[in-house]
Amino acid sequence: GSVVASYPYDDSPTHKPTGVYSKSADDEVFRYLAKAYASNHPIMRTGTPNCPGEEGETFQDGITNGAQWYDVEGGMQDYNYVWADCFEITLELSCCKYPPSSQLQQEWENNRDSLLAFIEKV
């Protein structure tokens, strides 16, 4: 896990494992939506999720192009965009894939304003 808003494309023509910005025709819109979410999240907006084992990982403005982060061939985000004209971003909300129930209230607090801002943009 991580704390970042990722947007298409997740796949790149070269299929390099990481570092290839794979720009979609609607890149500006995707960046706008991702930033709307990230800028309202207290951790995501810093661009430094500080996840255990990935302490050096950073994301400018708390967002990333999927393929630039890591290439995913055949991902749902790209499929929905290409075949269903659906604008989808992926929200990584925690370093831990399965946070304990004792942390859920804090996760809600971290994401509430982001969710509302995102809904307003949509």
Side-chain angles (χ1 to χ4, degrees):
S2 192
V3 184
V4 66
S6 172
Y7 55 91
Y9 287 117
D10 283 335
D11 194 8
S12 68
T14 63
H15 303 297
K16 276 183 64 180
T18 186
V20 176
Y21 195 102
S22 191
K23 186 175 181 178
S24 73
D26 295 295
D27 190 69
E28 191 174 319
V29 174
F30 280 120
R31 290 178 53 82
Y32 175 77
L33 293 172
K35 277 186 179 182
Y37 196 95
S39 66
N40 287 283
H41 190 285
I43 298 167
M44 198 179 291
R45 71 174 164 232
T46 70
T48 55
N50 202 27
C51 293
E54 298 288 340
E55 290 85 358
E57 187 171 60
T58 61
F59 304 100
Q60 184 175 351
D61 298 321
I63 67 173
T64 189
N65 173 261
Q68 187 169 29
W69 185 19
Y70 65 91
D71 194 271
V72 175
E73 189 174 349
M76 212 49 196
Q77 179 170 268
D78 291 358
Y79 178 88
N80 284 334
Y81 176 58
V82 172
W83 298 105
D85 294 325
C86 179
F87 284 45
E88 182 176 316
I89 65 172
T90 299
L91 300 168
E92 299 273 343
L93 301 179
S94 173
C95 296
C96 175
K97 292 284 187 185
Y98 304 102
S101 61
S102 62
Q103 293 178 3
L104 294 181
Q105 182 63 38
Q106 185 60 54
E107 289 300 326
W108 165 243
E109 308 235 347
N110 288 348
N111 289 282
R112 180 184 50 229
D113 291 344
S114 294
L115 287 165
L116 293 171
F118 188 74
I119 290 168
E120 287 174 359
K121 302 301 181 203
V122 173

